[in-house]
Amino acid sequence: MPQTLHLLKDVCVPAFQTSKVRPQPSDLVGIEGESGCRMLSKTEQPRPESRSRWSTIATFLPVAISVAVACAALSGAGSVDPQTFHFTTEKVGCERFIKTVRISGDVRTFQPAIVFNNCRYRSLRILELVPEGSSVNQGDIICILDSSELQDRLNEQKIRLIRAEAGLATAEVQDSIQRIQNDRRLSNTNSRLTLAQQTLTTFEQAESMMTLEQLGDEVAIKRDMLETACEKHAQTEYLTSLGYNNLAQLDLARTQLHTAQAAFDRAEGALTLKQDFQNPRDLMDLQSAADIARLDAHRAQLLNDRGLAGTKLTKLEMQQKIATIQNYVDDLSRSIKACTIIAPKSGEVIYCHQSDARKMIAVGGLVYYAQDIIRIADRSRMVLSGRVQDTRVYDLSIGQSASVDVANVTSHEYKATLTWIAPVSSRASRYSPGDRYHDVQIELEGEPESLELIALGATADAEVIVDDRDHVMQIPTKAVFSQPDGYAVIVKNATGPERRVIELGNSNDVQVEVLSGLSPGEDVVIDSPHVLRNLADTL
């Protein structure tokens, strides 16, 4: 009670001190008294500070009372009186301890053979289909799809392929003709180039020098003749002056001198003309002819390369066209072959219906590419395909025993063995990315007659035994609670309850193994951890 009053004081006093509420002025205010209610004038009203305080008390008093009652209830619930507490106990046992991991899933056959529409990117109709539930052997024809349209396309592509091969043969002939033309053109241009180069070389090395030598010799001869004529003219002129010769002889000598001088000038002019003008011009003409022949040869080579490139491009285009058509023909041939579906193994035929998408497997029905058509199941080996949380997968190991309950077989429990655990976890749903699971596979054991009772796809629950030991001291998990110094229990002795710290081992969510701290036959209190912890604090 003092604690409650103290709480009321803590709640109310600050409200009294901090309240800023002011009453609204009015002409008349009702005040309750012993005689009921009387009317006060405005001059007889109480002071504003008194009215503000009482308004604040009226506002916060219910809240303070509620808080006080709640605190009293909590303080009363936190303590347990061992004298009045009703103990529910259970004895510490030393018996068989079994820990299992529960796995849910559906029953399937071991490695079933799935037959699907392997006609690439095509949807086809079913012409023939083996009845569902029938048994087939490996190599039997179980489904035939309509391939008439594919056969028509194949015939068209074969015609295109023949035309393309004929076009390739024509291109190869044109390539051969082009090569012959190239050789002839190149031979002619090379011949002209060789002739021009030889003519130029002959002129540079022989013809020009020989002509110049001939003209030089002619100039030398004419010079000698001119010198002779000069000497003869001088002699004749001297003899004429002495009277031995007449003027006619002198005129003849003078005429011969002029003729020799003219011949010498002509020879020297011809040499100069040949050396300074004609030879350079002829040399330039021959060099130009050689350059033109060389350019013609280069142009002929370029024309040959262009012609060969054109024929080669035509051949490549035809080869590419043939390869494209051949790939299409091969694809159509494979698709037509895939329309006849053969059983890859022996077993029972099960249709792969897709009820959600309203796609049922039946004669005349349409199946798209890669759609599963038939599942061939071998009932001699049945497995449970399920999943387990990643926190429990560490208790599992391949080869552990399990018991399986199938939904449609209530009269039989199957023994099984864990055969596979997925090495990588996966999420069960995109809406819960934090929940990770490992896929597992459990193979069922039993006679073929008992396995045939199981409906394929039936749901089943498996209990995988991960720990099985005899003479294990154990207590219920409801008797254990945690405290700062470890795990503890409340032991009921003849003298009363006693708190005791224990060491725990493995747990199966119902019983927990006790390694030390208890003895078989002792009574431990069972209750919620909160109550047990409060009872331990009281003790």
Side-chain angles (χ1 to χ4, degrees):
M1 192 64 175
Q3 187 176 8
T4 304
L5 293 177
H6 181 69
L7 180 60
L8 285 172
K9 180 179 178 182
D10 293 340
V11 173
C12 296
V13 171
F16 299 156
Q17 295 175 356
T18 60
S19 175
K20 301 296 182 179
V21 179
R22 293 292 185 269
Q24 298 297 327
S26 61
D27 293 336
L28 295 176
V29 179
I31 299 178
E32 185 179 357
E34 295 179 357
S35 60
C37 181
R38 68 185 181 90
M39 305 303 295
L40 296 181
S41 64
K42 189 174 182 179
T43 57
E44 296 176 343
Q45 294 178 13
R47 290 178 300 176
E49 292 81 359
S50 176
R51 292 185 59 194
S52 175
R53 177 174 299 177
W54 284 107
S55 299
T56 306
I57 293 175
T59 302
F60 287 95
L61 185 58
V63 178
I65 293 174
S66 300
V67 172
V69 172
C71 293
L74 291 175
S75 62
S79 60
V80 178
D81 187 2
Q83 303 298 330
T84 60
F85 183 78
H86 177 70
F87 296 103
T88 301
T89 62
E90 188 167 333
K91 293 188 177 295
V92 178
C94 188
E95 53 191 11
R96 182 184 180 185
F97 179 81
I98 299 178
K99 180 181 180 180
T100 60
V101 175
R102 186 178 182 84
I103 298 175
S104 299
D106 58 309
V107 180
R108 307 174 183 176
T109 58
F110 181 77
Q111 294 182 350
I114 300 177
V115 176
F116 60 94
N117 178 15
N118 197 25
C119 296
R120 183 173 297 179
Y121 311 124
R122 294 177 179 87
S123 299
L124 302 175
R125 295 194 178 277
I126 301 176
L127 294 181
E128 297 182 15
L129 190 64
V130 174
E132 186 174 14
S134 60
S135 298
V136 295
N137 297 322
Q138 184 178 2
D140 293 346
I141 298 176
I142 57 177
C143 181
I144 297 178
L145 303 178
D146 186 9
S147 61
S148 57
E149 182 182 357
L150 298 179
Q151 190 64 47
D152 294 339
R153 291 185 183 180
L154 179 61
N155 296 332
E156 293 176 359
Q157 295 304 318
K158 285 183 177 180
I159 295 174
R160 290 186 58 196
L161 182 61
I162 294 173
R163 291 176 179 175
E165 291 175 348
L168 179 60
T170 303
E172 290 178 349
V173 172
Q174 291 178 352
D175 182 70
S176 301
I177 297 173
Q178 183 66 38
R179 290 180 183 276
I180 295 173
Q181 293 177 353
N182 291 347
D183 293 339
R184 184 181 61 184
R185 182 187 297 115
L186 188 61
S187 176
N188 294 334
T189 55
N190 287 336
S191 299
R192 289 196 295 268
L193 176 60
T194 303
L195 181 60
Q197 289 177 345
Q198 289 177 355
T199 303
L200 177 61
T201 303
T202 302
F203 179 78
E204 289 178 342
Q205 297 181 0
E207 185 177 350
S208 176
M209 295 177 61
M210 184 176 62
T211 304
L212 292 176
E213 288 178 358
Q214 290 176 357
L215 293 176
D217 294 341
E218 186 69 22
V219 169
I221 293 171
K222 296 301 181 180
R223 184 183 292 110
D224 293 340
M225 292 175 65
L226 178 61
E227 291 176 356
T228 303
C230 287
E231 292 176 358
K232 186 177 180 180
H233 177 267
Q235 184 180 3
T236 303
E237 187 178 12
Y238 177 73
L239 292 175
T240 301
S241 62
L242 293 178
Y244 293 103
N245 291 331
N246 52 22
L247 293 176
Q249 291 177 338
L250 179 62
D251 293 337
L252 180 61
R254 187 179 291 112
T255 302
Q256 291 177 350
L257 176 61
H258 290 168
T259 303
Q261 182 66 43
F264 174 75
D265 292 338
R266 285 195 301 271
E268 190 175 20
L271 176 61
T272 303
L273 179 63
K274 190 68 173 179
Q275 184 175 4
D276 295 340
F277 297 100
Q278 290 182 352
N279 275 359
R281 185 193 64 184
D282 294 341
L283 180 61
M284 292 178 62
D285 291 342
L286 294 175
Q287 288 178 346
S288 299
D291 293 339
I292 292 173
R294 188 180 299 107
L295 292 176
D296 289 342
H298 181 65
R299 179 173 175 272
Q301 183 64 42
L302 294 178
L303 291 175
N304 292 346
D305 294 341
R306 186 186 68 176
L308 288 177
T311 55
K312 184 177 181 181
L313 179 61
T314 304
K315 287 174 59 178
L316 291 176
E317 290 177 350
M318 299 308 299
Q319 290 174 355
Q320 182 180 9
K321 185 176 181 180
I322 290 174
T324 303
I325 299 174
Q326 186 64 48
N327 289 335
Y328 197 13
V329 168
D330 295 341
D331 180 66
L332 289 172
S333 300
R334 287 192 298 267
S335 298
I336 293 174
K337 184 178 179 181
C339 290
T340 302
I341 302 176
I342 298 175
K345 63 182 295 186
S346 302
E348 179 182 349
V349 173
I350 300 174
Y351 291 168
C352 298
H353 299 296
Q354 294 184 7
S355 303
D356 298 339
R358 296 182 179 179
K359 295 179 180 179
M360 310 302 290
I361 304 300
V363 175
L366 191 67
V367 290
Y368 55 85
Y369 170 63
Q371 178 182 350
D372 294 344
I373 301 176
I374 293 175
R375 179 181 289 107
I376 300 178
D378 183 8
R379 287 184 173 272
S380 62
R381 297 184 66 180
M382 306 286 284
V383 296
L384 168 64
S385 178
R387 62 184 184 181
V388 64
Q389 289 185 349
D390 57 348
T391 57
R392 304 297 299 273
V393 74
Y394 301 103
D395 294 332
L396 300 177
S397 61
I398 296 177
Q400 291 176 336
S401 301
S403 59
V404 179
D405 292 329
V406 184
N408 74 312
V409 184
T410 58
S411 61
H412 190 81
E413 183 180 62
Y414 295 91
K415 300 297 181 181
T417 304
L418 181 63
T419 57
W420 178 76
I421 303 173
V424 180
S425 63
S426 59
R427 61 182 184 181
S429 172
R430 63 177 181 177
Y431 302 105
S432 301
D435 297 338
R436 310 294 295 185
Y437 294 88
H438 284 261
D439 294 330
V440 296
Q441 185 171 287
I442 302 173
E443 184 171 356
L444 279 66
E445 302 173 358
E447 298 296 331
E449 294 79 7
S450 62
L451 295 178
E452 290 180 356
L453 299 175
I454 302 175
L456 295 178
T459 58
D461 296 325
E463 296 285 345
V464 181
I465 301 175
V466 299
D467 191 0
D468 188 0
R469 292 173 291 163
D470 293 329
H471 305 293
V472 176
M473 186 168 57
Q474 52 189 299
I475 59 174
T477 56
K478 294 182 179 180
V480 182
F481 61 95
S482 62
Q483 286 200 319
D485 55 350
Y487 291 101
V489 295
I490 303 298
V491 181
K492 183 180 179 182
N493 297 328
T495 58
E498 173 191 356
R499 172 184 174 277
R500 190 177 301 176
V501 178
I502 60 175
E503 182 180 359
L504 301 179
N506 207 347
S507 174
N508 60 6
D509 298 334
V510 178
Q511 297 288 111
V512 59
E513 179 185 5
V514 179
L515 301 179
S516 62
L518 291 175
S519 299
E522 290 185 310
D523 294 327
V524 291
V525 179
I526 298 175
D527 211 317
S528 64
H530 175 69
V531 174
L532 295 177
R533 193 176 293 109
N534 291 336
L535 179 58
D537 294 340
T538 304
L539 294 177

